[in-house]
Amino acid sequence: MKTRTLLALVLLAGCDLVSPDDPGPGPGPDPIPLVQLFPVERADRWGYMDVSGRLVIEPRYHAARPYSEGYAAVRTYVNDRWVWQYLRPNGTVAFEVTAGEAYDVRGGRVRVRADGKFGFVDTTGTYVVNPYLNDARDFIEGLARVKTTGWRWGFLQPSGQVSIEPEFDAVADFSEGRALFEEEDRYGYLGASGAPAIEPQFEGARSFSDGLAAVRVGDRWGYINPAGQFVLTPHFISAGDFAEGRAPVRTENLWEYVDQAGARVIAPAFDDARAFSEGRAAVRIGTQWTFIRADGSTIRAPEFDEVEDFRAGLARVRLGELWGYINPEGAFVWYPQG
């Protein structure tokens, strides 16, 4: 077996990208209402607001994660011990986990870290994979990327059974049926069986998104389809992910957006740019961030030090050290506060 070298995963065109989340339906003991809540902080405690900015769950937790598949993880102190509780949208506890770290529900499983090892529990809090893994990532497209008893990556099924043997020093999560991997300084893509669907041949690559993947040949980036055929030949200086039919690229000093035919749809104007999400894309102008619409217009002046993509109708934004939320037109629904 050939030794596979280290894969550097970064957020925008330079090498590669961690695959986007692909949560499935969230199982639970009761029907889960179609409501989205957002974690907010007040006086060093965490609670949840709704999309209008109204507090729904009062801030009383020491940490809080976003809702995922109908559950949100909060950290609290119960009976002289720290636990992670998983809340339903009405604030009641569905299950809890005693572990140093517990993460979002993905594919009906929760990744946990206990005593330095990783495992998975289901949505009753019962271990389905005991914490023996040296490293692990969430379930994406039905598979979780893990290091078992060694230090190479493979993939597990939700039952805990090994689906793809751990033989990769460098591999990303599955995205649209392909997993980026590196072999002898070249990048290719695995299929669901673990065999290469696209042989390693590129000098840089990103995961598939919106049906295409950015790959680098020499010092230029282009885009391929899942069969490995070029749709856009390599001529970009840098290239991001396609989403909602367009992708951020650089053909000059500034970032612009092109469609899947390669036509420019938003002119070069940005010092940094991300993929679209819910009709908005985060862009940096100078040192500050804002968001643009599909026509390239900004929703407000660039003033944020950091931003997260729009999710369920809101985007989390940072001013200084404090975080808040804005709506798609740029109005605050939760002004940054601690």
Side-chain angles (χ1 to χ4, degrees):
M1 175 171 40
K2 298 178 180 178
T3 300
R4 295 179 168 93
T5 54
L6 180 63
L7 177 65
L9 300 178
V10 296
L11 286 180
L12 270 180
C15 288
D16 324 297
L17 178 70
V18 175
S19 302
D21 288 342
D22 184 23
D30 301 309
I32 296 169
L34 296 175
V35 62
Q36 181 65 52
L37 302 180
F38 303 82
V40 292
E41 185 181 16
R42 179 179 286 175
D44 295 325
R45 291 293 183 269
W46 289 84
Y48 291 86
M49 69 171 197
D50 64 17
V51 71
S52 73
R54 179 180 63 90
L55 272 176
V56 176
I57 300 175
E58 288 293 328
R60 57 179 177 269
Y61 301 104
H62 293 267
R65 300 189 187 279
Y67 270 83
S68 174
E69 300 187 17
Y71 302 97
V74 296
R75 190 168 186 252
T76 189
Y77 201 65
V78 178
N79 297 329
D80 298 323
R81 62 192 177 103
W82 288 103
V83 299
W84 287 92
Q85 294 180 332
Y86 284 77
L87 306 182
R88 301 182 182 94
N90 63 7
T92 60
V93 177
F95 63 98
E96 65 180 41
V97 179
T98 301
E101 290 291 336
Y103 300 88
D104 296 343
V105 178
R106 290 283 188 266
R109 298 288 183 262
V110 175
R111 177 169 52 107
V112 299
R113 186 176 185 181
D115 298 324
K117 298 290 185 179
F118 289 86
F120 292 90
V121 301
D122 62 18
T123 53
T124 70
T126 303
Y127 273 100
V128 292
V129 179
N130 288 324
Y132 79 97
L133 302 166
N134 286 325
D135 205 344
R137 298 296 182 267
D138 293 333
F139 276 92
I140 306 294
E141 298 190 2
L143 295 173
R145 180 165 54 103
V146 301
K147 293 179 178 178
T148 56
T149 56
W151 294 102
R152 288 180 174 174
W153 292 97
F155 290 87
L156 290 187
Q157 297 176 3
S159 65
Q161 182 178 356
V162 173
S163 177
I164 298 174
E165 292 293 332
E167 60 180 25
F168 302 96
D169 285 338
V171 66
D173 296 328
F174 273 88
S175 177
E176 301 188 358
R178 298 286 183 264
L180 178 65
F181 77 103
E182 183 187 8
E183 181 176 277
E184 297 182 348
D185 296 326
R186 290 293 184 270
Y187 296 87
Y189 297 85
L190 302 177
S193 68
I198 301 172
E199 293 291 338
Q201 59 192 281
F202 307 110
E203 293 162 270
R206 299 168 64 84
S207 293
F208 274 88
S209 177
D210 217 13
L212 299 176
V215 298
R216 181 166 60 85
V217 177
D219 63 353
R220 289 293 184 267
W221 290 79
Y223 290 88
I224 59 171
N225 63 22
Q229 302 162 329
F230 273 101
V231 175
L232 298 177
T233 57
H235 65 283
F236 301 110
I237 297 172
S238 303
D241 294 328
F242 270 95
E244 302 180 8
R246 54 192 61 200
V249 298
R250 280 199 311 134
T251 55
E252 306 167 12
N253 289 331
L254 296 176
W255 287 83
E256 61 186 277
Y257 288 81
V258 297
D259 64 19
Q260 292 190 338
R264 177 181 288 172
V265 291
I266 298 175
F270 315 110
D271 295 290
D272 202 349
R274 299 181 190 164
F276 271 83
S277 175
E278 300 187 3
R280 301 290 184 265
V283 297
R284 180 169 58 83
I285 301 173
T287 62
Q288 304 299 108
W289 289 86
T290 186
F291 292 87
I292 58 171
R293 303 177 179 89
D295 63 2
S297 61
T298 57
I299 64 172
R300 62 184 295 150
E303 61 178 305
F304 302 117
D305 297 296
E306 189 175 350
V307 297
E308 297 176 0
D309 291 340
F310 273 88
R311 178 176 180 267
L314 298 180
R316 194 165 177 250
V317 298
R318 180 169 65 84
L319 287 174
E321 298 301 317
L322 302 178
W323 288 87
Y325 289 91
I326 60 172
N327 67 21
E329 294 308 313
F332 277 106
V333 298
W334 183 273
Y335 196 82
Q337 57 184 291

